[in-house]
Amino acid sequence: MAETAKTVIIEEFGGPEVLRIVEREVGEPGPGEVRIRHKAIGLNFIDIYQRTGLYPLKLPAALGMEGAGVIEAVGEGVTHLRPGDRAAYASAVPGAYAEARVLPAAQVCPLPEGISFEEGAAMMLKGLTVQYLFERTHPISKGDFVLFHAAAGGVGLIACQWAKSEGIRLIGTAGSAEKCRLALEHGAEHCINYREEDFVARTREITGGRGVPVVMDSVGKDTFDGSLDCLEPLGMMISFGNASGPVPPFNIGMLAQKGSLKLTRPTLFTHIGDFETCQAMARRLFDKVLKGEVKIDIAQRFPLEKVADAHRALEARQTVGQTIITV
């Protein structure tokens, strides 16, 4: 009899109510694939984008991009993992919301013994995102200012720590005094409560009127124009998410008018698409965690059966730090 696993799927796009748990056949890994039994699963905003159809998937579809567990079987050609190995991943192929799954092996990484399964599940997509933002997107030097929106979120708290460990002066934004306190505790030099202060004016004040060389913005529609206004001449706007909705079309001439600004819209999955690059990025992230320069704070846990509640909390911005789904 074929082995099955509880798996969260959607058969239509919509709110958290469209999430369904079904028993699905797991199957054996083919060439270049592995089968992993999850110990913990990560929760990310991209899961919501896919559930709502902002990032369309072919239906029915399984959700979830990040997890950690034990390798049960490997397919032909897989040499960096063996059955019994601890592993963690961020994958371009959804399906992590499951007790077990088969997926391409290239982006599955051996998980060091010093990092727990829960930490591994919570850190891969978000931590690798921070790694490419700070080290693979635009040159950032020690002492530079960076403006980082949503600084108390899952990516944000890792970014605060990463910046501090590299001597980068991170100015965060967050939506409450409590979230600002968290960002400051994790290494932000400043944190602006955007519900009480104009983040553009405050950023200009902090930088002596000049602005910052780099803005990292995962909020999207609500902060895009203001983010551009925070940049110094020749500054780089990194728009890497759409938590408030997609950025509407705009006149590219605006970049010239505001100081010959640069704009990029990267995605993690381009950076980790190459096997060697992905594994090297993961080793860099693991090293940061093992040295204690980055701590993975898991603030919320939801069982797989309560995945809809996890989505509601994330969408309502009721979460801080990392959130995992337990199996």
Side-chain angles (χ1 to χ4, degrees):
M1 183 176 176
E3 183 179 355
T4 63
K6 289 180 181 177
T7 304
V8 177
I9 67 165
I10 58 170
E11 296 176 312
E12 61 182 320
F13 299 118
E17 68 279 358
V18 303
L19 297 166
R20 294 184 55 228
I21 296 179
V22 299
E23 288 284 342
R24 264 193 170 185
E25 185 175 332
V26 180
E28 295 297 322
E33 294 181 331
V34 296
R35 186 174 73 234
I36 185 169
R37 181 155 296 276
H38 291 129
K39 299 293 186 179
I41 300 154
L43 178 74
N44 296 282
F45 243 100
I46 191 172
D47 307 344
I48 291 171
Y49 301 156
Q50 292 175 342
R51 190 203 73 220
T52 61
L54 178 63
Y55 293 176
L57 299 174
K58 183 179 179 181
L59 300 176
L63 295 185
M65 312 293 284
E66 177 181 47
V70 177
I71 300 298
E72 289 189 328
V74 302
E76 181 184 350
V78 177
T79 58
H80 70 293
L81 293 164
R82 296 178 297 178
D85 283 353
R86 306 169 78 251
Y89 67 87
S91 171
V93 181
Y97 291 0
E99 293 174 320
R101 70 176 297 198
V102 170
L103 76 161
Q107 281 70 53
V108 182
C109 306
L111 184 66
E113 287 290 341
I115 299 174
S116 71
F117 288 118
E118 288 196 348
E119 290 170 325
M123 71 189 282
M124 292 299 287
L125 192 146
K126 292 170 280 286
L128 291 173
T129 294
V130 171
Q131 198 273 340
Y132 89 68
L133 288 172
F134 281 88
E135 299 189 349
R136 293 176 54 84
T137 306
H138 183 75
I140 305 173
S141 301
K142 185 176 181 179
D144 282 352
F145 278 109
V146 167
L147 177 65
F148 199 102
H149 290 295
V155 177
L157 291 185
I158 295 175
C160 290
Q161 297 174 81
W162 196 292
K164 185 175 182 180
S165 74
E166 297 293 322
I168 295 165
R169 306 175 70 183
L170 188 141
I171 303 169
T173 72
S176 69
E178 174 65 15
K179 287 186 175 182
C180 281
R181 182 187 63 78
L182 270 174
L184 293 168
E185 288 177 352
H186 283 75
E189 185 169 317
H190 305 271
C191 193
I192 303 164
N193 182 344
Y194 62 79
R195 298 190 189 280
E196 297 181 354
E197 292 187 279
D198 179 335
F199 75 82
V200 178
R202 182 69 180 120
T203 298
R204 289 283 175 181
E205 180 184 352
I206 291 168
T207 59
R210 180 167 180 81
V212 296
V214 178
V215 175
M216 300 176 180
D217 188 339
S218 64
V219 177
K221 176 173 64 70
D222 289 354
T223 53
F224 183 78
D225 290 342
S227 291
L228 292 179
D229 289 335
C230 290
L231 284 167
E232 65 181 33
L234 305 177
M236 169 62 83
M237 168 71 166
I238 306 173
S239 177
F240 69 101
N242 317 283
S244 66
V247 175
F250 73 101
N251 180 359
I252 195 171
M254 183 193 307
L255 301 177
Q257 296 165 14
K258 292 180 179 292
S260 300
L261 304 181
K262 299 181 284 287
L263 169 66
T264 185
R265 178 54 173 94
T267 173
L268 171 64
F269 301 112
T270 305
H271 286 274
I272 65 173
D274 172 74
F275 168 72
E276 295 292 348
T277 300
C278 177
Q279 300 296 320
M281 289 173 64
R283 289 191 294 270
R284 173 74 169 139
L285 173 60
F286 295 153
D287 185 58
K288 282 280 188 189
V289 174
L290 291 170
K291 286 180 177 177
E293 295 177 357
V294 170
K295 291 183 171 61
I296 307 302
D297 295 323
I298 299 168
Q300 298 86 206
R301 293 172 173 82
F302 293 85
L304 188 65
E305 291 76 13
K306 299 289 186 180
V307 65
D309 290 341
H311 273 231
R312 291 185 185 99
L314 185 60
E315 280 186 290
R317 302 193 184 185
Q318 295 172 346
T319 65
V320 296
Q322 320 301 325
T323 303
I324 62 164
I325 298 166
T326 57
V327 288

